[in-house]
Amino acid sequence: MPLLHRFLFLRSYMLLSFCLITVCLKAQVIENNELKSTVIALQQISKKLPVEKLYVQFDKNYYSVGDTLHFKAYLLNANFLTLSNHSGLLYIEMDDVNNKSVKRIMAPIASGLSWGDIVLTEKDFSQGNYTIRAYTNWMRNFGEDYVFQKSFYISPGIEQSLLVNTAFKLTGNNLQANLLFTNLNKQLLSGQLQLQVVNDKKNLYKTTTTVSADGRADINFTLPDKTTTRHLYIIATEVGPGSSGRSATIPVFINRPDNAEIKFHVEGGTLLAGVPARIAFKATGDNGEGVNVSGSIMNNKQQPVATFKSAHTGIGSFELTPQAGENYTAVINPANKTTKSYPLPAVQNAGISLRVQTKDSLTLSIAATTVSNCYLIGEARGVVCYAAAVELKNGVVKKNIDRSLFPTGVAHFALLNAAHQVLNERMIYIDHHDNLHLIISSNKPAYGTRDSIALNLQVNDKDNKPIKGSFSVAVTDNAQVKNDHYGVNMENYLLLTSDLKDEVEDPGYYFSKNTPDVLANLDNLMLVESPVGYNWKQIFDPKLQQVTYNAETEFLVQGKVTNLLNKPVTNTEVILLSRKPVIVMDTQTDANGQFAFKGITPVDTAYFLLQAKNKRGKNANVGIEINEFKPPVFTTEHAFQTPWYVNSDSTLLTGTLGQIVKSKESAGINPKARQLKEVRINDSRIVKRSQNLNGAGESDQTLNEEDMDKAGKLTLRQILEQKVKGFSLGQVPYPPDNTGRRHRGDPKYRMSYKINEKEIRFVIDGVDLSYFYYPPDDNSTSPVGLSGRGRNSQQQPLFNSLSEDWRIYIDSYLDYFTADQIEGIEVMYNPRYNNNYINKYLSVTEQSSSFVGEKYAYIEITTRSGQGPFAKQTPGSYIYKPLPFSSGKPFRGPKYTSKNSSDAITDLRSTIQWAPNIITDDAGKANTSFYSADTPGSYTLTIEGIDLNGEPGYRQQQIEIKPK
């Protein structure tokens, strides 16, 4: 009996065991040793470069400007899908349609779990397409294929949308667009529109037209040759006297048969003469989505030898026995309105083919035209589950393989020669039907509006045994949120799409039913897709196994101290200080001048001051370098998402109208009353990219970019002296300490800048300069801001230095920045504008003190670099601003009682409940509770999660809400 190498896949945290079984008596010892070395190499790289897999659940599928996006992240070991402890820090970013990051945050990962939220503020987000990307630093070693990605369309803020119904017709290159515009109340639009045709950021055409009496506006435009419609869209903007400036972005989705692209994939990779072959294909249209096609396969004599027809999302397959000397062509049926033809892969007279039969059992058929020895490797999730030496003779070798060797999910087979070159590859999907069973029961048979809803969760495994695990629950209103039942969820992502390179349309379809048609379409998908992560050269070449990005187990502040010659300064003290949160830490540099601070949990917006001294205790002649996170640049494109207001349905319209009602009620406005437009007269100047807490242009005085250009090379202090009304240098009362008390020996006054009678606090790019002020000889080494004591070691008052030092500290910034470095200046003097600054930048004690409160004015300076005061560094110091940190604030839903159940504010939540941290107990049980909102109808409950053994679970269920 021949020798077989069978490798048993164990679903646990522990070990992967291997058994040797016979394959071929004639196999030489060296051949078996080569197979062993191949498998060992695969095992070693799996241990050296363990792969992380990340899945993120969101509370809903799309958002509007002003919404809060809630998420739960599951970081898993890719091989067994168990919760990972390899990384402890998660990066999440929102990128716009140009792949430019708009928002980037960090979130802690504990035992493979993390959750948090992103507020989609008007300052950061406008309407448009966005892609959210989530990854760890370690995942960056493996490329973009491993990064979790999901695209959203963020619609404009309430009452800022136009509704558009579209009809497109393309004749040759002539595009005819018929557009019907209405407002949110379905009233026809009137007035003028500017219509702009854009293709992949390139402006093709612009015109201004008057909307007809029936609300229509049409475009007739000739597209340049070879223009695809994947990134083609029209921007319609209201213009003219009295217009609101509302706009709509309208994607142009037209699938032209002549532009359809069809790719053919031979099973196993080789079309071998005389050997029956299965050929799969995928047809995509202009917009990148699948299109259904049918046609015939023609030989050299233009005779049909086979037919083909796509079965699902443009994917299908057919059988063909190729003949030597023939060239085959696929011709699309005339019914598809095209005569385009596509050549099939060339027929090979010699080689090896690989076929897999998956219907009843797992059978691999290997056909060869020459005698050759090779190795058959079967992997799943990067783990070798099967390996065998194969001796090929003229004819076919068949291998019957036990399915139980592989876990549920994508399995990848490869034939390798002795030089470790891949001869053939084939992916299949194996389903043991062993996912978790989620059972949801409620405490009542039916619910009314503003009713208390309690849900009980029971989680069992495939054998109906209770399971402990971590789960997240989202409940959304069906009247406002349209759920995609075929979209991405935890099961289809972890077990299918994350192992495939290309984006899969309707992944939920392949898990919807266990019917022959669905199974056949799933196998077709396996034939046309490419696997993620298989780089055979890397496995056998240590030079290709180098790690670029280290795993981050926690948030660290780390760096290096150097001297003037850029040499490391060893065994020197480094101090880290922070005011929010209050942190005072110190450490010493190592032999390489490096240092690290651990155990820090930064807040949403944290700033750290680091100070280093040379061996003589001075901070001169030393510098600090911080290992700051350098974000990746992503290149992956995602299809343009259709905005909700284009051909909108009643669900999405109801959601937006609900937002309007809720907003008006929050503002104390009767939603049924006719509201007159608010008339406001203020300074129309706005500072771009300002972090003004009141919003763009909301200030007592604004100096914008045009003012800065006129100022030439004036310093910031000179600009303020010349341009800001009431600006002066004078005496102000010396501040008390952080408890509001004064001390004997304190000076009565100190020098500071004022606007009229109010002392100024300066904020540069959102950073309050007082956070990093340290009075002279202050031995407390704690950030004290304006309330610093400033005493020497003998506790004697330092009258002169204390009264002047604050002004000297501020001057170092006012004299450093010049007009060409500044984009704008905003003055917040009156309570209408400075209250938000007082609430953010002053402590509770300071706010309650009679000394502070409204006695401060604020000046917000926006620099062109956006780096705040960090552009200016004092020798031996470094101000470090890490990425914002999301700590996962609790979801706050209303709680109705008998006393407040008749509250007049209308409850029109779209996300009814978000519970990211539901843990089942030993009996597999957990629960969650919440209150329904004001609209009768139905809710969709979505629960996802994973157990400790790496089994995912997913379930959607409906909850009916009846009128009270």
Side-chain angles (χ1 to χ4, degrees), residues 49 52 88 145 148 180 205 248 331 368 388 585 601 639 644 664 915 929:
L49 300 175
E52 295 174 329
D145 290 335
F148 179 88
L180 173 64
Y205 178 72
V331 179
M585 302 175 72
T601 303
W644 71 268
K664 287 182 176 180
S929 61

Side-chain angles (χ1 to χ4, degrees), residues 55-60 63 70-74 114-116 438-441 453-459 469-476 483 490 890-891 910-920 925-930 939-946 953-959:
Y55 174 75
V56 184
Q57 180 187 359
F58 303 95
D59 61 317
K60 52 188 178 183
Y63 299 88
H70 301 279
F71 66 87
K72 165 82 174 282
Y74 297 82
S114 180
W115 57 87
L438 308 180
I439 304 168
I440 304 169
S441 58
I453 300 175
L455 300 176
N456 300 311
L457 172 65
Q458 176 69 51
V459 181
S470 177
F471 301 86
S472 41
V473 170
V475 181
T476 54
N483 287 282
M490 175 174 265
F891 179 80
S910 57
T911 298
I912 305 298
Q913 168 71 336
W914 170 248
N917 189 31
I918 294 181
I919 308 296
T920 54
K925 297 181 181 297
N927 57 71
T928 184
S929 61
F930 52 93
Y939 297 158
T940 293
L941 182 149
T942 303
I943 181 167
E944 299 181 281
I946 202 159
Y954 163 80
R955 181 178 175 82
Q956 273 196 345
Q957 189 166 310
Q958 300 298 305
I959 302 174

Side-chain angles (χ1 to χ4, degrees), residues 721-848:
E721 288 172 343
Q722 295 181 19
K723 301 291 184 181
V724 174
K725 303 168 186 176
F727 181 88
S728 65
L729 175 66
Q731 290 185 331
V732 297
Y734 191 81
D737 66 13
N738 290 330
T739 65
R741 294 180 298 173
R742 295 185 179 278
H743 296 263
R744 186 164 59 95
D746 281 347
K748 292 183 179 180
Y749 299 98
R750 70 170 178 185
M751 299 303 294
S752 186
Y753 289 100
K754 302 189 297 180
I755 296 178
N756 298 329
E757 78 285 1
K758 294 185 180 181
E759 184 178 3
I760 301 171
R761 289 184 73 159
F762 295 90
V763 181
I764 302 180
D765 292 331
V767 179
D768 186 351
L769 287 184
S770 65
Y771 274 16
F772 304 107
Y773 170 61
Y774 292 83
D777 296 332
D778 181 13
N779 295 321
S780 66
T781 65
S782 61
V784 292
L786 292 178
S787 301
R789 301 309 322 133
R791 301 176 183 277
N792 62 15
S793 58
Q794 285 76 39
Q795 292 297 300
Q796 298 300 316
L798 304 167
F799 291 107
N800 293 332
S801 60
L802 286 176
S803 60
E804 290 284 340
D805 190 68
W806 170 251
R807 191 265 306 169
I808 295 171
Y809 168 73
I810 292 298
D811 276 353
S812 69
Y813 289 94
L814 301 189
D815 292 335
Y816 172 78
F817 288 99
T818 56
D820 56 351
Q821 296 175 302
I822 300 171
E823 195 159 315
I825 298 170
E826 294 160 287
V827 178
M828 273 60 69
Y829 179 83
N830 289 304
R832 174 179 177 181
Y833 297 121
N834 70 8
N835 272 343
N836 285 337
Y837 283 81
I838 290 170
N839 292 333
K840 178 174 181 178
Y841 291 121
L842 298 187
S843 68
V844 175
T845 302
E846 290 174 310
Q847 290 182 44
S848 61

Side-chain angles (χ1 to χ4, degrees), residues 547-711:
V547 172
T548 304
Y549 305 100
N550 295 321
E552 299 171 316
T553 55
E554 61 177 319
F555 173 74
L556 300 176
V557 178
Q558 53 187 338
K560 184 178 182 180
V561 178
T562 58
N563 60 21
L564 289 177
L565 300 177
N566 205 32
K567 300 293 184 181
V569 180
T570 62
N571 300 320
T572 192
E573 183 184 27
V574 182
I575 300 172
L576 179 144
L577 305 164
S578 170
R579 190 180 186 189
K580 184 182 179 183
V582 176
I583 299 174
V584 180
M585 302 175 72
D586 64 355
T587 189
Q588 283 193 323
T589 58
D590 61 16
N592 298 315
Q594 296 179 341
F595 64 88
F597 291 97
K598 301 181 179 181
I600 300 173
T601 303
V603 295
D604 182 20
T605 304
Y607 305 94
F608 301 102
L609 173 65
L610 293 108
Q611 294 180 326
K613 298 181 179 180
N614 59 25
K615 293 182 179 180
R616 292 174 296 178
K618 304 294 184 180
N619 59 5
N621 302 329
V622 295
I624 298 180
E625 301 172 4
I626 296 296
N627 299 339
E628 297 195 45
F629 174 73
K630 294 180 175 58
V633 177
F634 294 105
T635 59
T636 306
E637 287 188 358
H638 282 260
F640 195 95
Q641 304 292 307
T642 304
W644 71 268
Y645 52 76
V646 175
N647 303 322
S648 65
D649 59 22
S650 57
T651 296
L652 301 174
L653 180 60
T654 300
T656 302
L657 290 174
Q659 289 183 50
I660 294 172
V661 172
K662 189 174 181 180
S663 176
K664 287 182 176 180
E665 289 187 335
S666 297
I669 301 170
N670 182 350
K672 296 181 180 180
R674 182 180 178 186
Q675 184 182 2
L676 297 177
K677 287 186 177 180
E678 181 184 9
V679 178
R680 293 180 58 187
I681 301 174
N682 58 9
D683 194 337
S684 61
R685 287 177 290 187
I686 292 176
V687 178
K688 297 176 182 177
R689 301 187 299 106
S690 167
Q691 299 195 42
N692 188 336
L693 299 179
N694 305 300
E698 297 294 326
S699 64
D700 288 293
Q701 185 181 356
T702 300
L703 302 175
N704 61 9
E705 190 172 9
E706 183 179 348
D707 297 313
M708 296 303 104
D709 291 339
K710 294 178 181 178

Side-chain angles (χ1 to χ4, degrees), residues 254-458:
I254 295 178
N255 280 326
R256 294 176 287 187
D258 285 340
N259 278 20
E261 181 182 4
I262 304 180
K263 292 184 179 180
F264 292 89
H265 306 261
V266 180
E267 182 179 15
T270 305
L271 199 59
L272 198 57
V275 177
R278 183 178 171 199
I279 303 173
F281 63 91
K282 181 177 182 179
T284 55
D286 289 277
N287 60 2
E289 296 182 357
V291 293
N292 290 323
V293 296
S294 61
S296 300
I297 306 299
M298 315 298 285
N299 62 13
N300 288 343
K301 299 179 182 179
Q302 296 302 304
Q303 296 172 331
V305 294
T307 60
F308 63 92
K309 183 179 181 181
S310 54
H312 182 69
T313 62
I315 301 173
S317 65
F318 59 91
E319 296 283 338
L320 175 69
T321 301
Q323 302 301 314
E326 288 281 2
N327 294 312
Y328 296 98
T329 303
V331 179
I332 306 297
N333 284 339
N336 291 275
K337 298 180 181 179
T338 181
T339 57
K340 200 169 183 179
S341 60
Y342 304 85
L344 265 60
V347 179
Q348 305 294 326
N349 293 322
I352 301 174
S353 72
L354 172 66
R355 297 198 65 181
V356 180
Q357 194 270 339
T358 61
K359 289 184 180 178
D360 300 318
S361 61
L362 190 57
T363 303
L364 275 71
S365 300
I366 305 168
T369 58
T370 58
V371 176
S372 177
N373 294 325
C374 59
Y375 308 118
L376 177 64
I377 306 292
E379 288 186 295
R381 305 176 191 167
V383 176
V384 178
C385 302
Y386 175 89
V390 179
E391 183 178 346
L392 295 173
K393 297 182 178 179
N394 292 328
V396 177
V397 175
K398 290 193 175 183
K399 298 286 184 182
N400 292 315
I401 301 174
D402 188 353
R403 286 173 176 264
S404 65
L405 298 178
F406 297 84
T408 292
V410 176
H412 178 250
F413 287 94
L415 275 175
L416 307 179
N417 62 16
H420 300 135
Q421 295 174 323
V422 179
L423 305 175
N424 305 84
E425 292 182 279
R426 170 74 153 98
M427 287 192 302
I428 64 170
Y429 189 85
I430 293 176
D431 193 352
H432 297 300
H433 305 287
D434 52 1
N435 295 337
L436 299 180
H437 299 292
L438 308 180
I439 304 168
I440 304 169
S441 58
S442 56
N443 62 330
K444 295 180 182 179
Y447 296 97
T449 56
R450 299 198 177 190
D451 205 349
S452 175
I453 300 175
L455 300 176
N456 300 311
L457 172 65
Q458 176 69 51

